Amino acid sequence: MILKQVIRYTNTDAIEATWVDENDVVIKCQAYSNDPEQMAMLRADLGADAAQYEPLIAEVEATYVPPEPPPLDEQIAVFDAALVAHLDATARQRRYDNRVTCALRAGYPSPFRAEGIAFAVWMDQCNALAYKLLAEIVAGTRQMPESPQALIARMPAMVWPS
């Protein structure tokens, strides 16, 4: 493949690269936005030719404006839903419908009481940790976890009674 042309689209802050074969048939034509990941892909696709187009790439990269993160309330709702799903999934490990039916067993003498107590204590530990993290995020002393899974990874492990 031969690199035929690299052009900049000023109306979209993008670059297009076109490769052709020896018969001048287009093999690949790729557009790249000004997003840093796209620009890295462009450099990789250009290979040894990347240095030649570095000023053009830098010009397009300079137009990049990172997207605004969603409002904190929306982010918190996503993380809260992930925690609730994690608690429910853990309760279902022992065939309870959800976190509520599992924790409810703690209040009544039955063969399931020990599981209910253990689960309720663990669930409270998870909630307390989540509230602590949230307070630190709101105070600006901690960054929002990079994903809901990262939040769940911070939670203590559930240890069921034998």
Side-chain angles (χ1 to χ4, degrees):
M1 275 194 314
I2 302 163
L3 181 62
K4 172 109 178 183
Q5 69 178 4
V6 176
I7 58 173
R8 176 176 182 209
Y9 291 108
T10 55
N11 62 335
T12 61
D13 292 317
I15 294 176
E16 178 183 278
T18 305
W19 289 265
V20 297
D21 67 9
E22 60 280 352
N23 297 317
D24 213 27
V25 174
V26 173
I27 300 295
K28 180 179 179 184
C29 180
Q30 183 73 36
Y32 305 86
S33 75
N34 63 353
D35 180 278
E37 290 180 26
Q38 288 280 308
M39 292 290 100
M41 289 172 51
L42 172 60
R43 285 184 178 94
D45 287 347
L46 290 173
D49 293 322
Q52 176 183 348
Y53 296 100
E54 195 56 42
L56 182 64
I57 294 170
E59 184 181 309
V60 171
E61 283 178 319
T63 67
Y64 180 68
V65 177
E68 287 289 321
L72 187 57
D73 289 351
E74 289 179 23
Q75 294 178 56
I76 290 169
V78 169
F79 284 85
D80 184 52
L83 180 58
V84 167
H86 175 63
L87 298 173
D88 285 345
T90 303
R92 284 192 293 275
Q93 291 174 356
R94 292 294 174 113
R95 303 185 64 147
Y96 295 101
D97 295 338
N98 56 43
R99 67 198 181 287
V100 176
T101 57
C102 186
L104 179 71
R105 300 298 180 253
Y108 301 95
S110 76
F112 308 105
R113 188 172 196 186
E115 284 185 355
I117 291 171
F119 182 84
V121 168
W122 170 79
M123 181 172 66
D124 281 350
Q125 290 171 344
C126 290
N127 282 317
L129 178 56
Y131 279 113
K132 177 181 179 284
L133 294 173
L134 174 60
E136 292 171 356
I137 291 165
V138 170
T141 59
R142 176 181 294 275
Q143 293 284 351
M144 180 69 79
E146 54 276 3
S147 68
Q149 295 78 17
L151 172 72
I152 300 307
R154 293 180 184 197
M155 295 297 122
M158 173 62 199
V159 179
W160 295 101
S162 325

